[in-house]
Amino acid sequence: MVCFAGLTKAQYIPAFRTDTVIWKDPGTDYWKKGNSLKHLEVSLTLGTSGVGLDVALPLSQFVQIRLGYDYMPQFKKQLRMNLAGGGEAARQYNGQGNRVRTNFDKIQQYLYEETGMEIDDHILLTGQLNMHNLKALVDIYPFKYNKHWHFTAGVYYGPAQVGKAEDDNESSTTLSLMEMYNQDYEEASSGDAIKSYGRLTLYPGDKNGKACLVDPADDGSVTISVKTSEIKPYLGFGYTGRLISSRDDWKVSAELGVWFWGGAPKQRMHDGTSLSDLSNIPGALGDYVKVIDYLKVYPVLNVRFAKTIF
């Protein structure tokens, strides 16, 4: 009875009272009710969308908007594209693995005798990214007392051409010799030896089981463009925490999502030839074409470092 009397006099303490909890979520003051558009957050992002800057404003206890810009450094990669002489590959080998003489070898000898210069059996291309986008995003934090998890929707907007490859300076001699030889070929009479050698062309790969032959552009250049939609809707989710455990105004978050950029990027040469339609594209060029063809959507993985200004 004494124990029961003591309990009846004790103050009742509820099992869970939100007014006594000190929430450790990032940005406690940032998310207070009535703070819509009263705070400003700036951030730096690093990831597969590039290096970015953005500003964020809370719209409610559950929603913030972000506006910013991402830029991908223009990493470069040297690629190789083979030549063909008379419609056949410049280099060919027999069943024993020994090199056999081709029309290209005859053309190479002809050019050496005419100019004293030796033409390569390939050209080099320099490929690089061209990704930079404006972004407008909405972050939704669905839990009132947990501001860690969020979902994001929005749009990125930037140039349709996200990558390109152009003939390298190292191949200027080869391209000049190609132009010179093809002019000689066109002007030669039917009895001239070079008429049996055929024309010099680029040989990026095969199409429908046959060699796909491409001429350089009228100005002698060779280019490949990689294009997507300019407007790229985005969906993602992420997790946010404190960057400094004792500071509510510094945050770090990781976010995973995808751009919907209009299906697999279109990879086309200067004359409109689609590399996606070709097979047996040799070397690194072929590897890149295959990878890009798989990217129906573009994966986005970013880390964001944010500071609340006020």
Side-chain angles (χ1 to χ4, degrees):
M1 293 295 292
V2 174
C3 292
F4 179 78
L7 287 172
T8 59
K9 294 180 181 180
Q11 181 181 3
Y12 171 69
I13 301 176
F16 184 76
R17 286 178 55 186
T18 59
D19 60 327
T20 63
V21 176
I22 300 175
W23 296 102
K24 299 299 184 182
D25 290 336
T28 305
D29 292 333
Y30 184 86
W31 292 109
K32 280 185 177 178
K33 188 175 182 179
N35 278 350
S36 299
L37 301 177
K38 293 182 179 179
H39 289 295
L40 176 67
E41 186 177 271
V42 297
S43 66
L44 169 71
T45 58
L46 302 170
T48 57
S49 65
V51 180
L53 295 172
D54 63 47
V55 295
L57 297 164
L59 293 182
S60 71
Q61 286 182 282
F62 304 97
V63 179
Q64 76 172 3
I65 58 171
R66 279 192 282 148
L67 302 174
Y69 175 78
D70 285 357
Y71 173 80
M72 178 66 75
Q74 294 186 336
F75 302 109
K76 295 183 179 181
K77 172 68 177 179
Q78 197 171 68
L79 307 168
R80 171 174 168 157
M81 182 178 291
N82 292 333
L83 303 186
E88 61 181 23
R91 285 180 176 268
Q92 296 185 42
Y93 299 86
N94 60 22
Q96 289 73 43
N98 298 318
R99 180 118 188 272
V100 298
R101 185 171 172 80
T102 64
N103 284 329
F104 175 82
D105 295 319
K106 300 172 185 177
I107 295 170
Q108 188 179 54
Q109 182 177 348
Y110 168 84
L111 286 170
Y112 184 77
E113 292 172 353
E114 292 291 320
T115 67
M117 293 184 287
E118 188 168 300
I119 188 173
D120 292 328
D121 60 4
H122 63 275
I123 63 166
L124 296 176
L125 303 167
T126 299
Q128 64 181 35
L129 295 173
N130 181 47
M131 292 170 56
H132 48 96
N133 295 277
L134 297 171
K135 58 185 176 183
L137 305 173
V138 177
D139 297 319
I140 300 174
Y141 291 78
F143 308 112
K144 184 174 182 180
Y145 298 113
N146 184 331
K147 298 305 180 185
H148 290 295
W149 293 102
H150 66 272
F151 299 94
T152 302
V155 63
Y156 284 72
Y157 176 79
Q161 183 169 289
V162 297
K164 63 179 179 180
E166 299 174 328
D167 53 277
D168 194 281
N169 288 334
E170 293 183 34
S171 293
S172 59
T173 299
T174 293
L175 289 170
S176 295
L177 290 172
M178 279 185 69
E179 182 178 10
M180 189 196 82
Y181 170 79
N182 284 333
Q183 185 174 347
D184 287 352
Y185 176 83
E186 297 298 335
E187 294 175 353
S189 61
S190 58
D192 290 342
I194 65 171
K195 278 297 186 181
S196 64
Y197 305 161
R199 299 180 72 256
L200 264 179
T201 57
L202 303 167
Y203 181 19
D206 297 327
K207 185 174 183 179
N208 299 325
K210 298 180 180 180
C212 177
L213 306 177
V214 177
D215 288 319
D218 292 340
D219 62 359
S221 64
V222 179
T223 59
I224 300 171
S225 65
V226 182
K227 292 186 176 182
T228 65
S229 173
E230 293 180 342
I231 299 174
K232 309 168 188 68
Y234 172 78
L235 289 176
F237 69 95
Y239 184 89
T240 302
R242 290 184 178 182
L243 182 62
I244 303 173
S245 60
S246 61
R247 297 282 298 272
D248 209 27
D249 56 338
W250 284 95
K251 305 175 191 175
V252 61
S253 61
E255 190 171 296
L256 178 66
V258 292
W259 289 346
F260 298 92
W261 59 0
K266 297 176 177 60
Q267 306 177 75
R268 297 189 183 279
M269 295 188 65
H270 52 271
D271 70 333
T273 298
S274 172
L275 296 183
S276 299
D277 294 338
L278 305 186
S279 60
N280 301 322
I281 302 175
L285 178 60
D287 294 337
Y288 279 107
V289 169
K290 289 178 183 177
V291 170
I292 293 172
D293 276 341
Y294 280 118
L295 295 178
K296 306 294 191 294
V297 296
Y298 182 76
V300 177
L301 176 60
N302 285 335
V303 177
R304 180 172 177 260
F305 303 92
K307 173 70 169 70
T308 302
I309 304 302
F310 60 83

